[in-house]
Amino acid sequence: MKRVEIKLNLDAVAPLLDAVKSAADTLEPRLAVEPQVPEHEADFAASWRDELLGGQRSDLAVLLGLFGSEFFASGIIVLDEENGEPVLRACTAVRLRLRELHLRGLDDGSLESGEVELEELPEAQSRAFAAYVFLATLQEVIIQHLDPTQSD
């Protein structure tokens, strides 16, 4: 099984985790992206939405679980083929929520390139942006190192 251990700087990552956890908490009762379902499928839509919400909650629990007491003792997170996909999906959901809550004023190009002057942003927005970039980096690691179509 493919496995990636990442040693993170606790002083740098801990404040970002506050922004990640806060955004994840706001996703508890809602989906990061609401599905578009035809009106005549209302019964189906409700059960589908509930299933999607359950999956999102599960994915967020896996992501947040990476940063438990063991992480704070060692600074290490472990990504593998088992948690890679849930973490990838959870990072996407949290990044979308951070964008919606704190990063609305930034254009897509700046967000995706990381070319934002942090010192020009208010503290909360700066922290949300740093968390956004951190989650994007986790996604890149998963895609590069845990792609199931790549051979060992």
Side-chain angles (χ1 to χ4, degrees), residues 24-147:
D25 288 347
T26 69
L27 288 168
E28 176 62 27
R30 63 186 307 274
L31 291 168
V33 176
E34 287 295 327
Q36 301 298 313
V37 180
E39 289 181 29
H40 65 278
E41 298 287 346
D43 292 339
F44 168 74
S47 63
W48 185 40
R49 185 185 182 290
D50 288 345
E51 186 176 324
L52 290 171
L53 190 56
Q56 178 179 278
R57 287 176 180 145
S58 175
D59 293 344
L60 290 169
V62 172
L63 171 64
L64 297 175
L66 293 175
F67 303 101
S69 59
E70 190 173 312
F71 166 73
F72 283 99
S74 69
I76 295 173
I77 61 170
V78 177
L79 299 169
D80 57 33
E81 293 173 344
E82 187 174 316
N83 68 9
E85 284 188 43
V87 170
L88 193 63
R89 289 188 300 264
C91 285
T92 299
V94 173
R95 288 179 73 211
L96 287 168
R97 191 65 176 146
L98 287 168
R99 167 85 193 226
E100 184 180 352
L101 292 172
H102 303 288
L103 306 173
R104 239 184 248 141
L106 302 174
D107 64 83
D108 289 336
S110 296
L111 277 174
E112 295 308 316
S113 70
E115 296 177 8
V116 173
E117 298 296 328
L118 291 178
E119 53 278 347
E120 294 179 13
L121 299 176
E123 175 64 27
Q125 192 175 31
S126 175
R127 186 166 293 169
F129 176 73
Y132 184 91
V133 171
F134 170 68
L135 294 173
T137 303
L138 280 182
Q139 289 178 304
E140 288 175 17
V141 168
I142 292 166
I143 291 166
Q144 289 177 358
H145 298 286
L146 296 177
D147 182 351

Side-chain angles (χ1 to χ4, degrees), residues 11-27:
D11 293 334
V13 173
L16 305 182
L17 295 178
D18 292 338
V20 169
K21 173 86 169 85
S22 177
D25 288 347
T26 69
L27 288 168

